[in-house]
Structures are given as structure tokens and as C-alpha cells.
Amino acid sequence: MLGSQYHLQGSKDWDEDGIKIIQLLNECASFTESGNFIDADTALYNLSHLASPDGDSMQRVATYFTEALAHCQLAKNLRGVPKVLRLVRALSTPEQQLLNQLFFDFYPFLKIAHTITNHTIIEAMRGETAINVLDLSPSNADQWSNLMQGLREHLTNTPYLTITVTAIHEKKEVLEQMELRLKVEAERLNFLFKFNAVVSSLESLDPETLPIKKGEPLAICCVLRLHSLLAANHDEMVKTKVQRAFSEMLINQSPDSALSPFSPCPSQKMESFLNGLWRLRPNVMLITEQESNVNGASLRERVFKALSFYCTLFDCLEASASRTLIGRSLLEKMLLGEEIKNIVACEGVERKERHEKLETWIPRLELAGFGMASVSSNGIWLAEKLLQSYVPGYHMHQKNQFLFICWEKIPLFSISAWKF
């Protein structure tokens, strides 16, 4: 239980200050949730003397949880405070691209996901002369450049190949840059190439309106974005809460159980979106998501579970990057810190960072009609070689047909493959 042990599962043994930080963060969350703002403010004051953006991994992560709880307390305590105070700061396109690149460079997670995704797609597309790729989370054109290189290398019996990439992004300039780079690579490799730029948020997208014909060879890729569709409006949150309570009463299960008939599809938006993807009849769909469970209604629960996940991410940086690196500080403050703020201080549609573990994604995808598929064994082999270039501590764990990227014994990201 949280109240007595204050132990983060799988994490290292903390010193006295680290244990005190964990205790104060949990107390502050509890006081804030119960409306006891005097004691919550005292906890924040004590945290301010222990947290530091330049300290060890626990002190650094505590800085951003303290800021997030301060935003949360202000929003709950003063009803007239504008909602904008709780929002994550909007980033310019160059800033977002810089942060995406920093995450890509400092951690191996996206490199591993891209390697395994590409090789799984290549194996699923053997014998095809035309390939469609639907990218639901475009952030790095290199992934599809590498895919084209892999296709040229492996599909030697298919000299003439047409590749169509359909990419979804809110910023038109991101898609234009991506198209330019991929066209150059396609010409170099002598591929026929087409790029469909769809300027849209994932939340506003209807998959069935995409320029993809049913029956065409199709691969779908979504990296660290699908969970944002779990954000619900107030009416849907109320409906889901009633449904879960009724379900728990009927079957005597926890409402967070993956076996609950309602928990696999807590969002009508998610259910509709997955059904739309299923109707596209993909040969393979690859999903990479955080192996974390921070989508609970309880603030105290969210803080504790998010603390466990982000402490581990900060530990990874502590082991691999100097504390004085500007890039590390930017990554922690502007990306990881803003994610923490969104998880802790935002509610409803404002809270986009709604990570859930693979055990809840499996029944959700199965209910939408998808069947499990295997990730590429060759991709896993190449990914393991790639991990050897990083500090010891990173490793991969395969369970059934799914892959987990871990730090020490802690799974941090999952990669799963699905088929129509």
C-alpha cells in the first residue's frame, strides 16, 4: 500500500532524502485530492527544499512532480482560476522536433521500436508489389527511409515496388519536411513513391476517410500516441464511471481489471477509432506504448504510478548522461516534465498522457477485431545488437508474442504486432 511503505516497485534503494521525497509526494497528492490544502501546501514547501533540477535522479524528477502538484492544488483550490494554468505549454514546431530528437538520441526506445517495426513490416509484405504504410505518429522520417532501404535489400525478387506513405500530423510543415526527405530516398532507391499528407489530430481523424483502399497491402504504425484517444469528455467520463461501477457490482471485479467488459473500451472515441482501423484490413499493425498505468481517476494513484515510471526514466539518464548536459536538462524539463504535469494536473480532454499497460490494450484490440501477430525475430536480433552500444541495464524481454524494452527488471515500453 502507498501509505506505509512508499516503495517504488523495481527501483533502487533510495537514501533518506529519496524516501522522504516519495513520502511527501504521496502525502501531498492525498491532501490535495481530499481538499486539505493547508497540509498539501506544507508538503509542497518541504518538497521545495529537497527537490532540485540539478540533483540526482530522484531530486530531478521530484522537481517536476512538485511543480505539477502545485498546478493541481491551485486549480482545485481556486475555482475561478482559468483552466489554461493547468495546460501543458504549447510548443512550437522546431521545439517539438528538437525534443523528439533528444528523446530519440538519449534513449534507445524509439530506435528499438523502429527497427522491430520495420522488419516486421518487411516480413509481412513479402511478395507484394505495392505497399501502403499508415503512420499515425510521424516524428522521424528516418524510420521510413530505413524501411525503404530494408525493402530494397530483402525484396530482391520484386524490382519494381510502389510505396505509399500516409502520415497524420497536426502541423502541415512537419508533413512537408517528411515528404521531401522520403521522396529523395525513394528516388535514390528507384521506388515509385506517393505521399499522402493528412493534416489532422488523431482525435479528429476518421480512419475510413483516409485515401487507402480496402484490400491493398497495408501496414499501420503508431508510436506513443494511441493512448491520447483515451481522453474523455465530461459526459463520457460520467457514463464510463457508472458503467464500471455497475460492472463491478455484477461480476465482483475491480473496475481496472482487464477482464471487465467495460474496462477494455473506456473511451467511445478509442473504440470507434480501432474499429475504423480494423475496417482498413491491415496486413500488420505495430503499436508501441508506455508500459505504465497512469490513467486512473485517483490523483494519489496517478502520482504514485507515474512516479514509479518516470523515476526509472530519470534513472536511465542518470546512468548514461552527464547532469551538466544542456540536452538532458531540456529533455527532462520540456518533455518529461510536461508529461508529468499533464498526468498530475489535467483532467478530461486536457489530460492526453493516459498510459496504460499492454494487459489492458490486448482485450481492447481483440474486441475491435484484431488478432495477435508475431514481431520479427530478425528485428529482435538486430535490436539486441543495437542495445549493446548503450550502458548496461537496458534489455528486452519477450513474453508470448509481445516485446518489452526494460531498464534493469522494469518494463518501460511495449511493442506489439496485430493483424486483421
Side-chain angles (χ1 to χ4, degrees):
M1 297 296 292
L2 308 186
S4 57
Q5 296 181 352
Y6 303 106
H7 175 68
L8 301 186
Q9 183 178 4
S11 59
K12 64 186 181 182
D13 293 329
W14 298 105
D15 59 19
E16 185 176 344
D17 282 348
I19 295 172
K20 185 65 175 176
I21 286 171
I22 296 170
Q23 178 180 347
L24 286 170
L25 286 172
N26 280 291
E27 288 178 354
C28 185
S30 296
F31 291 140
T32 301
E33 190 167 34
S34 65
N36 183 352
F37 300 114
I38 294 176
D39 287 337
D41 188 62
T42 300
L44 282 176
Y45 176 79
N46 292 330
L47 280 165
S48 68
H49 292 284
L50 294 172
S52 168
D54 303 312
D56 60 26
S57 57
M58 175 55 78
Q59 291 173 314
R60 294 166 89 102
V61 77
T63 299
Y64 304 110
F65 273 92
T66 302
E67 289 180 2
L69 284 165
H71 276 78
C72 185
Q73 185 185 152
L74 182 62
K76 286 179 177 291
N77 191 17
L78 302 176
R79 294 183 180 180
V81 173
K83 285 187 176 182
V84 71
L85 288 178
R86 293 187 289 159
L87 295 176
V88 174
R89 185 174 75 85
L91 298 173
S92 67
T93 299
E95 284 177 327
Q96 189 61 64
Q97 290 177 319
L98 170 62
L99 294 175
N100 289 341
Q101 189 62 47
L102 288 172
F103 188 86
F104 187 87
D105 292 340
F106 275 98
Y107 293 112
F109 307 121
L110 293 185
K111 297 184 185 73
I112 297 299
H114 291 175
T115 298
I116 291 171
T117 293
N118 285 354
H119 281 271
T120 303
I121 290 173
I122 290 170
E123 292 174 12
M125 295 297 181
R126 283 200 178 102
E128 303 291 354
T129 57
I131 294 174
N132 290 268
V133 174
L134 173 57
D135 188 355
L136 298 174
S137 50
S139 61
N140 194 328
D142 288 342
Q143 177 178 7
W144 306 125
S145 294
N146 293 335
L147 175 66
M148 285 191 270
Q149 293 166 18
L151 288 167
R152 176 55 71 211
E153 179 181 343
H154 289 86
L155 303 185
T156 54
N157 295 327
T158 312
Y160 302 104
L161 186 65
T162 300
I163 299 176
T164 301
V165 174
T166 302
I168 319 299
H169 201 280
E170 296 180 20
K171 302 289 182 64
K172 183 179 180 181
E173 58 266 39
V174 171
L175 297 173
E176 290 174 341
Q177 293 171 16
M178 187 176 185
E179 179 179 11
L180 182 62
R181 291 191 59 187
L182 294 182
K183 276 186 174 179
V184 171
E185 188 64 14
E187 289 176 4
R188 186 182 75 83
L189 295 170
N190 196 29
F191 285 132
L192 297 174
F193 179 74
K194 182 180 179 182
F195 188 86
N196 295 321
V198 180
V199 181
S200 172
S201 66
L202 211 58
E203 293 83 355
S204 303
L205 181 70
D206 180 357
E208 293 190 84
T209 64
L210 294 171
I212 298 171
K213 294 180 181 179
K214 294 177 182 177
E216 291 183 342
L218 173 65
I220 300 175
C221 174
C222 192
V223 179
L224 309 184
R225 281 286 285 115
L226 206 54
H227 62 258
S228 65
L229 293 176
L230 292 170
N233 59 38
H234 176 73
D235 291 340
E236 189 173 348
M237 290 170 66
V238 171
K239 180 179 178 181
T240 301
K241 191 172 182 180
V242 172
Q243 287 178 329
R244 286 187 171 186
F246 183 63
S247 168
E248 185 180 5
M249 179 182 69
L250 287 177
I251 60 178
N252 196 28
Q253 286 186 324
S254 164
D256 290 330
S257 169
L259 298 179
S260 164
F262 296 110
S263 63
C265 289
S267 167
Q268 294 176 355
K269 186 185 296 291
M270 175 67 76
E271 183 177 5
S272 175
F273 189 82
L274 291 178
N275 287 337
L277 294 181
W278 179 83
R279 292 187 186 98
L280 295 176
R281 301 183 180 183
N283 297 51
V284 66
M285 179 168 72
L286 280 301
I287 296 175
T288 301
E289 278 290 337
Q290 291 91 341
E291 185 63 7
S292 173
N293 185 15
V294 297
N295 195 23
S298 165
L299 174 64
R300 185 169 180 247
E301 178 188 0
R302 290 207 308 269
V303 167
F304 184 74
K305 291 185 176 180
L307 183 60
S308 182
F309 180 74
Y310 284 96
C311 269
T312 309
L313 285 183
F314 275 69
D315 282 347
C316 296
L317 290 177
E318 186 74 4
S320 60
S322 168
R323 296 181 186 180
T324 60
L325 281 178
I326 295 176
R328 173 181 170 179
S329 298
L330 284 174
L331 176 64
E332 291 175 345
K333 178 177 178 59
M334 296 180 66
L335 183 64
L336 303 182
E338 291 298 294
E339 288 182 2
I340 290 168
K341 187 191 299 181
N342 188 265
I343 291 168
V344 173
C346 295
E347 296 294 351
V349 294
E350 295 174 6
R351 179 152 53 91
K352 304 295 185 183
E353 299 300 330
R354 293 174 173 267
H355 315 158
E356 291 191 356
K357 291 190 175 183
L358 183 60
E359 63 188 18
T360 63
W361 284 105
I362 292 172
R364 181 179 291 128
L365 287 155
E366 288 178 335
L367 279 177
F370 289 99
M372 299 179 192
S374 298
V375 296
S376 166
S377 57
N378 187 45
I380 293 174
W381 179 76
L382 290 170
E384 286 177 338
K385 289 188 65 177
L386 176 61
L387 274 184
Q388 293 174 9
S389 64
Y390 284 81
V391 295
Y394 289 113
H395 69 98
M396 291 187 297
H397 172 65
Q398 192 168 7
K399 184 177 181 181
N400 299 326
Q401 300 182 74
F402 306 114
L403 194 72
F404 299 90
I405 313 173
C406 309
W407 172 255
E408 303 297 350
K409 297 180 180 180
I410 309 169
L412 290 174
F413 294 86
S414 67
I415 303 173
S416 59
W418 302 86
K419 59 187 177 182
F420 173 77

